[in-house]
Amino acid sequence: MRTAPNVLWLESHRLRAGSGPEVRFDRPLSGLPTEDQLAQALTALEPGPTAWVVDDQLAPSVLLRDVAELPEGTEAREAFWRWKLQQTMALEAPHAVQAQPLEPGLWLAAGIREDWRETWMGLAQRLERPLHRLEPRWLHLYNRLAPTQETPGLLLSLSPAGSGRYTGTLVGWSHALCLLRSWSEPLDASDWQLERLAPSIAYLQREGK
């Protein structure tokens, strides 16, 4: 009996249903998928709860520091996190936001456009593959590569953008998540190393991470 949810991968360059040897649908993308494409991918999976792993650029994430006090009440807190993410990342469209505490004053916030979320949830429900979890790809990988965070490390989550260039997210941890940087401008591998990886590693070293 299957106990883990189905997995749908919605990335900037591909739409995939399943993982590893259980891949049942795999198509290239050059933008957001249509409802028909999503329906094809979902119906390739078994009925039941489905976890969606979405491209980092579709699910903006940020570490929010010095969050000392939260408003009371569920609706007030949801509004606060929506406002905080929108202001911090200069987002134009309304986003649904999930926030989780990492340590005192430090929160991880991740969002997804509300109109996309509602459309995707409705489609998944109609096809009897209800959305169980929706998370950015970097977080999906991080939770599997650094479940205990006992050993410091770095994770690079990249998406091909054509001509040997990539967008992506760099994550670092040392007992707790301490670095989260995401770039939508594509660069090739050498420029990633020079302009993004090297300065981020230097920052972690200065901070004693």
Side-chain angles (χ1 to χ4, degrees):
M1 179 182 296
R2 179 175 56 84
T3 57
N6 294 304
V7 179
L8 181 78
W9 297 78
L10 172 48
E11 301 175 88
S12 61
H13 64 294
R14 70 179 179 186
L15 178 62
R16 170 177 286 188
S19 295
E22 297 298 322
V23 171
R24 302 183 177 187
F25 180 95
D26 195 355
R27 297 289 187 277
L29 286 178
S30 58
L32 280 178
T34 65
E35 280 201 38
D36 285 345
Q37 289 173 319
L38 284 172
Q40 291 175 31
L42 284 169
T43 53
L45 297 168
E46 297 178 17
T50 302
W52 290 44
V53 180
V54 302
D55 195 274
D56 298 340
Q57 302 305 315
L58 301 179
S61 310
V62 66
L63 291 178
L64 297 173
R65 305 179 188 277
D66 301 321
V67 180
E69 188 174 349
L70 295 174
E72 296 184 3
T74 301
E75 291 186 4
R77 289 194 178 192
E78 289 178 352
F80 170 79
W81 290 123
R82 285 197 301 269
W83 171 81
K84 191 73 172 174
L85 187 71
Q86 185 170 3
Q87 292 295 313
T88 303
M89 305 197 75
L91 303 174
E92 296 182 0
H95 280 61
V97 181
Q98 290 184 328
Q100 63 184 81
L102 301 178
E103 54 188 35
L106 178 64
W107 289 73
L108 168 63
I112 193 77
R113 277 183 46 160
E114 291 182 352
D115 54 344
W116 296 348
R117 180 175 177 269
E118 292 304 314
T119 298
W120 297 345
M121 286 181 64
L123 177 64
Q125 191 68 39
R126 291 195 303 272
L127 296 176
E128 299 182 352
R129 276 81 173 170
L131 198 154
H132 167 74
R133 184 177 67 253
L134 191 153
E135 60 188 359
R137 184 187 56 218
W138 76 262
L139 183 58
H140 178 81
L141 299 174
Y142 169 76
N143 285 334
R144 282 149 182 80
L145 294 174
T148 64
Q149 301 172 342
E150 292 178 357
T151 303
L154 290 172
L155 167 67
L156 190 56
S157 170
L158 295 177
S159 291
S163 303
R165 300 180 304 159
Y166 303 86
T167 62
T169 301
L170 178 64
V171 179
W173 64 92
S174 176
H175 305 296
L177 192 62
C178 58
L179 177 73
L180 173 58
R181 293 178 174 172
S182 204
W183 292 272
S184 59
E185 179 186 356
L187 292 179
D188 62 25
S190 61
D191 285 339
W192 261 94
Q193 175 67 32
L194 180 65
E195 299 181 21
R196 294 171 178 174
L197 289 176
S200 297
I201 292 171
Y203 162 79
L204 291 175
Q205 291 173 336
R206 287 195 305 271
E207 295 294 314
K209 302 297 187 181

